[in-house]
Amino acid sequence: MAQTPSNFSALLLDHSGHHSTAVATCLGQVPGCRLHIVSNARWPAVRLSRFAASFRQFSDTENESAQLEEILRVSREVKADVLLPVTEAGIQFTAQNRGTLAGEIKLPPLPSPEAIETVINKFSLARWLGQNGFPTPETFLYTSITTAKKDLKQLRFPVLLKPIVGGNGIGIRRFDQPGELLAALHSSVPEAGFWILQSYVRGRDVDCSVLCHDGKILAHTMQTSLHPRRNPFAVDGATRFAPHAAAFAQVEKTMAAIHWNGIAHLDMREDERDGRIHTVDFTVRFWATLLGSLAAGVNFPHLACLSALGIEFSPPISLPTNYFTASAALKKLNRLAGCKTGLPYILSDPVPRAMNLFKRMVPC
């Protein structure tokens, strides 16, 4: 059971509003947590959260030195105990400036800039996994159509064409035949060095979210898809949180091998042929199913704050949970007996979600 300090204050480092509302919702469940926001955006949805005690926008959104000074000034003003970056950009920024920041405010476990660069680049991740003996699909960097023709001879189809960086399945395309892929490359040639070709592992997704310190996992949740998805590469709307011993054992070895610090979300595929677990992606930020982890009993933002404050806690137990996002739940209201959903979290803090909906309906 995690110990909770009384009246601790967290300064959330937001970047364009991505996943910050979910992080605020998680911290809003913690008695005594006072949350302040600093952001590069003027009106991120989290600004309207009832869990936010204050909000400030960077006066200079381009100058990192100015932003560093502003974070230090704001942390003094609000008497923040912990700085909690939400996104990949924020975690990179905090890791690069930890020497300056750590003298003023507590920081959660953070990966080294070198480790971040290794895992966010899908080609370097695949190389690192292979070099360290971890199963991962055969992967080639796309450099030209000529080299692609040679590489395809070593790839098992289906093959995925994937951006070398990015998440949420954006930009991924599947091809079942070599001719189909080559035709696509000829018709819209992707920029060399920014895409990979990767064999698709037939089977099912098995994902793992973690908080680590020096390669040791302090907390985790395991998840699989509850129902087939219309877009197999998009965010899962219906998720089953439950143990998966083989996948978790592999994640433990992976985190130890890379000496990981901080949060991460690993996308894996369980091969239907032999049950091997292949790691295919490594996300360095809070993830889209963060509220599902919360519903399963693991509040990762809170635990990250406890780690920053030097407060020890026993590894929380993730409860077997069927979880539907709020949008997925609204479509299946008659089939949710025994399931948890994102609806209570939205109803507890509705204004930020209403703002996000408005932004989608009225694009700027």
Side-chain angles (χ1 to χ4, degrees), residues 22-73:
V23 173
T25 298
C26 290
L27 292 178
Q29 314 306 304
V30 182
C33 175
R34 189 167 175 81
L35 180 63
H36 304 273
I37 316 291
V38 61
S39 175
N40 67 325
R42 185 178 181 185
W43 281 104
V46 70
R47 179 173 183 172
L48 301 178
S49 172
R50 74 180 183 89
F51 301 123
S54 71
F55 175 87
R56 290 163 176 81
Q57 182 192 14
F58 288 121
S59 54
D60 188 336
T61 59
E62 302 297 329
N63 187 320
E64 288 197 357
S65 295
Q67 291 174 21
L68 179 60
E69 288 301 318
E70 201 152 0
I71 289 171
L72 294 173
R73 179 179 59 78

Side-chain angles (χ1 to χ4, degrees), residues 64-351:
E64 288 197 357
S65 295
Q67 291 174 21
L68 179 60
E69 288 301 318
E70 201 152 0
I71 289 171
L72 294 173
R73 179 179 59 78
V74 172
S75 71
R76 296 183 197 116
E77 286 180 3
V78 301
K79 295 181 172 58
D81 299 299
V82 177
L83 177 66
L84 187 64
V86 174
T87 66
E88 183 179 288
I91 289 171
Q92 286 179 303
F93 176 89
T94 307
Q96 289 165 357
N97 293 284
R98 78 175 80 206
T100 301
L101 289 165
E104 297 271 352
I105 190 169
K106 302 292 186 182
L107 303 177
L110 295 166
S112 68
E114 296 76 21
I116 295 173
E117 289 300 321
T118 296
V119 300
I120 64 173
N121 181 303
K122 292 178 174 58
F123 182 62
S124 66
L125 171 64
R127 291 182 61 186
W128 182 89
L129 290 166
Q131 290 167 357
N132 286 273
F134 297 109
T136 191
E138 194 69 53
T139 304
F140 290 94
L141 181 66
Y142 175 79
T143 55
S144 69
I145 292 178
T146 301
T147 55
K149 289 179 179 178
K150 298 177 182 177
D151 295 337
L152 292 184
K153 297 177 182 178
Q154 302 180 59
L155 290 170
R156 178 183 286 110
F157 276 78
V159 164
L160 304 178
L161 178 65
K162 303 169 70 171
I164 202 167
V165 295
N168 296 331
I170 297 172
I172 299 177
R173 299 172 65 186
R174 169 178 164 161
F175 300 91
D176 293 318
Q177 300 294 333
E180 179 186 1
L181 173 53
L182 290 172
L185 293 176
H186 278 289
S187 63
S188 56
V189 180
E191 189 173 356
F194 289 87
W195 297 79
I196 59 170
L197 298 168
Q198 187 175 76
S199 289
Y200 176 72
V201 178
R202 294 184 185 273
R204 67 166 180 162
D205 292 325
V206 182
D207 294 358
C208 183
S209 306
V210 297
L211 172 66
C212 298
H213 179 69
D214 288 340
K216 179 183 178 182
I217 297 176
L218 305 178
H220 79 282
T221 55
M222 302 292 309
Q223 64 190 71
T224 56
S225 296
L226 195 57
H227 300 300
R229 284 174 279 173
R230 181 176 300 177
N231 179 349
F233 309 118
V235 175
D236 207 342
T239 307
R240 172 66 176 169
F241 287 86
H244 191 300
F248 180 63
Q250 184 163 305
V251 172
E252 280 189 304
K253 294 175 182 177
T254 303
M255 296 297 102
I258 201 168
H259 305 290
W260 192 256
N261 280 287
I263 57 166
H265 182 86
L266 278 70
D267 294 346
M268 297 171 284
R269 295 283 293 175
E270 184 176 30
D271 197 321
E272 65 182 18
R273 299 170 302 169
D274 55 16
R276 294 182 79 201
I277 306 295
H278 296 256
T279 302
V280 296
D281 207 354
F282 195 121
T283 300
V284 187
R285 56 166 170 75
F286 286 108
W287 43 95
T289 53
L290 180 65
L291 293 180
S293 295
L294 177 64
V298 183
N299 189 333
F300 281 99
H302 179 211
L303 298 177
C305 289
L306 292 181
S307 295
L309 294 166
I311 297 175
E312 295 185 0
F313 54 87
S314 300
I317 298 174
S318 174
L319 302 174
T321 304
N322 292 341
Y323 177 80
F324 286 77
T325 62
S327 57
L330 289 172
K331 298 174 184 177
K332 300 179 182 292
L333 285 175
N334 62 332
R335 291 188 286 169
L336 295 179
C339 299
K340 293 186 178 181
T341 79
L343 289 172
Y345 302 124
I346 284 184
L347 294 175
S348 72
D349 194 25
V351 179

